[in-house]
Amino acid sequence: MRIAKSVLIQPGRNANFAIPAVALSLFCFAYSIKFGQVAILLYYALWLPLIAVDYKKVLGSHGRYLWIYAFAALAFLSVFWSVVPSISLRASIQYLTQVICALIAVRVVDVRSLTVGMIAGVGIVLVYSLLFGYYEYDPLDGTFSFVGAFASKNQLGFYASLGLIVSFAAVFIFGERRLWMAASGIVGLLSAYCLIACQSATSVLTTAVVIALMMGLRVVLALTPDHRKLLVVGGGVAVIILAVAGVYLGAVDAVLGIFGKDSTLTGRTYLWQQGIEAAKQNPVFGIGYQAYWVQGFSEPERLWEEFFIGSRSGFHFHNTYIETAVELGLAGVIVLAGMLLRILWGHLRRVIEDFRNDESYLLFSIAVLLTIRSFVEIDILTPYNVGTFLFYFAAGKLATARRQPAVSSWQHHASPEPVTQ
């Protein structure tokens, strides 16, 4: 029996493949440490074989993707100056292959399939955590937090954040009804519960900001493109002024106090200081991709001990730019920050200038989430991470997607998106 190519690789017509593929990918990302190679091989099996179906359509013209590969290429080149070349080589190959899979997904998954696929995936991830998860004691702040089936409450909080965001998007951006509307409600409630249970201040605050942003954009999109520019510029200036005023008036400490945190962010400011000192040792190109947190090296061993990390693994500087500076130096920070700014500006520009662009509406919101979290987490720096996948998916759509005309919700669902070339 022959299967039509469109069933697998035609965006808008391949929902029966795309939605489960996205959902399973999220599960693989969430529990790759728990299930090991099985989860990683399943992730590769979902995307790489599509090249054999129609390599021209699936791979597209990679000339426009060169800027997207820049950071992964730098990570791979760091093998030549890494203090632990074997670790940098393995990790950079893993990272590069995840980028390739994400760009394949860009070519075959439309944004609606991504959204409902994430709803299904987050739902499965959270249910698994609720069934097999546990509470963990944090010796730094003396509290017990629900970490689910993860090794960190912040990762559980990240998935809960994504669950709330895509549930909002499914109903209020894509106008889902019946099955997916009900699923959005259920996953939204699960996400809210897990967000409260894990007590991750980072996840709660970033989720609140992004949901508020998405609601604000709904108001902006009711205006004409010309009026949107004025409102966005004015709103952006107002937000900056309020943020600066909040810092000086003590609003930050007040908000942290609600979550039982202090101005040191439970020791993160000290960790950042240690990371900056480490980055100064090799300021231009760093010591190699993922070559710092290696067992047997004196500095990471000291930090593991100070922060009660008995496993001596799975730790980082809790800041994307400091972690990058240590591993890939100033060169890595410039490349990564440049990519992130390009994604943010590119999707925001499409949201403002296009009459209607649901794709950029969602992907800009996700990019904002990743940007805010980048100051306290490293969601886009490691392979087999949902943050990395979404980062490169947003970048790929920016490089290939056409602007979409305004359509009603039922037309949007009934008519597949045009195939990008």
Side-chain angles (χ1 to χ4, degrees), residues 55 129 135 178 190 197 229 266 272 290 292 353 372 413:
Y55 72 92
S129 272
Y135 282 80
R178 298 180 181 176
L190 281 174
K229 296 177 183 178
T266 319
W272 296 342
Q290 291 199 6
Y292 183 84
E353 295 182 352
I372 298 174
H413 292 173

Side-chain angles (χ1 to χ4, degrees), residues 223-280:
L223 305 174
T224 63
D226 288 338
H227 289 115
R228 292 175 192 172
K229 296 177 183 178
L230 295 175
L231 186 59
V232 168
V233 171
V237 172
V239 168
I240 293 173
I241 293 174
L242 288 174
V244 173
V247 171
Y248 282 100
L249 294 175
V252 174
D253 289 336
V255 171
L256 291 175
I258 296 175
F259 296 93
K261 309 290 183 180
D262 55 30
S263 58
T264 69
L265 296 173
T266 319
R268 284 184 183 177
T269 52
Y270 169 72
L271 193 58
W272 296 342
Q273 180 188 27
Q274 297 301 298
I276 293 171
E277 292 300 319
K280 290 179 180 179

Side-chain angles (χ1 to χ4, degrees), residues 33 39 54 107 145 218 261 277 351 371 379 403:
I33 295 179
D54 187 339
R107 303 288 298 180
S145 300
R218 282 183 60 83
K261 309 290 183 180
E277 292 300 319
V351 169
T371 301
D379 298 317
R403 294 179 177 180

Side-chain angles (χ1 to χ4, degrees), residues 58-80:
V58 171
L59 294 178
S61 175
H62 268 52
R64 67 184 69 185
Y65 289 158
L66 291 180
W67 66 275
I68 299 177
Y69 283 110
F71 184 78
L74 181 61
F76 182 80
L77 290 174
S78 73
V79 172
F80 295 103

